[in-house]
Amino acid sequence: MTDYAVARQRMVAEQLLKRGIQDERVLQAMGKIHRHLFVEEALWARAYGDLPLPIGEKQTISQPFMVAFMTQALELKGNERVLEIGTGSGYQTAILAELAAKVYSVERIRTLAQRAMRRIESLGYYNVLIRVGDGSMGWKEMAPFDAILVTAGAPQVPIRLVEQLGEDGRIVLPVGPSEGQVLRKGTKKGVNVRWTDLGNCVFVKLVGEQGWND
Ligand code: SAH
């Protein structure tokens, strides 16, 4: 086994399993995907550490636990159409691509979107579509979605995203002030959405019409 494979197994055991991540498929995906390939080479040694990492353009890739925790909350079985807002490095996108049928991902910064697309393609995922744009408005043409994951924080829940959720669909997103947010999960039931809080978190800003101003 390479050092990275060992680091990955340790990450799964110590950061995920021990802290209560139980979804077998999520654990498997986290153990499989080469997280170091989503950051620059100078950061490879820290890629499986218990911390977020810079990905350029003042953005960050979330710590492994947060990626696993949010993904688990989406309750993916394998046949879902998923919308992701904030492609960033594409790491979370790859995790979703492992666990769902089709992933639609929106990133507002072109250079990040292009880099992520190259990585995703070179890893051989053919079920991912990445678009450059304001994801706070969702991706209307592709709606409805079974699950929506937002990896940037908005001052309040972007209404367009909730509208693009299908019946029994789940949305997971950080909501609140830029210094610190609450991770919220909504489940769509008819015209209603049932909300639960999953805990505190800190994400970069969701910048857009239904997010923060630039
Ligand atoms: N999930 C990513 C990390 C995302 S960091 C990963 O695994 O690497 C948050 C990302 O959201 C940044 O890349 C930022 O540019 C993007 N973002 C912020 N506002 C956005 C918006 N309105 N639409 C799409 N992407 C946005």
Side-chain angles (χ1 to χ4, degrees), residues 62-173:
S62 302
Q63 92 194 93
F65 176 78
M66 187 52 77
V67 173
F69 186 69
M70 292 175 96
T71 308
Q72 176 171 269
L74 294 177
E75 301 172 60
L76 301 174
K77 301 286 178 264
N79 54 358
E80 296 85 357
R81 293 158 39 81
V82 181
L83 174 66
E84 177 193 39
I85 307 303
T87 317
S89 68
Y91 176 67
Q92 172 79 68
T93 317
I95 299 280
L96 294 172
E98 281 285 327
L99 299 173
K102 184 91 196 183
V103 182
Y104 301 89
S105 188
V106 186
E107 169 57 53
R108 67 180 276 275
I109 301 176
R110 183 172 298 276
T111 52
L112 292 179
Q114 286 171 340
R115 227 177 287 157
M117 193 69 242
R118 274 201 300 274
R119 288 181 182 125
I120 291 284
E121 272 172 10
S122 70
L123 292 173
Y125 294 104
Y126 299 110
N127 58 343
V128 174
L129 217 52
I130 297 177
R131 172 170 83 80
V132 178
D134 177 10
S136 75
M137 302 297 281
W139 194 336
K140 201 169 171 221
E141 297 75 18
M142 302 299 178
F145 301 99
D146 303 300
I148 300 179
L149 180 59
V150 187
T151 60
Q156 62 268 312
V157 176
I159 183 69
R160 299 284 168 244
L161 295 182
V162 176
E163 285 171 4
Q164 292 171 27
L165 211 50
E167 179 62 16
D168 292 321
R170 286 83 61 197
I171 180 169
V172 172
L173 76 174

Side-chain angles (χ1 to χ4, degrees), residues 1-11:
M1 259 202 289
T2 65
D3 290 351
Y4 292 118
V6 173
R8 223 166 16 250
Q9 290 319 312
R10 196 178 304 143
M11 171 192 89

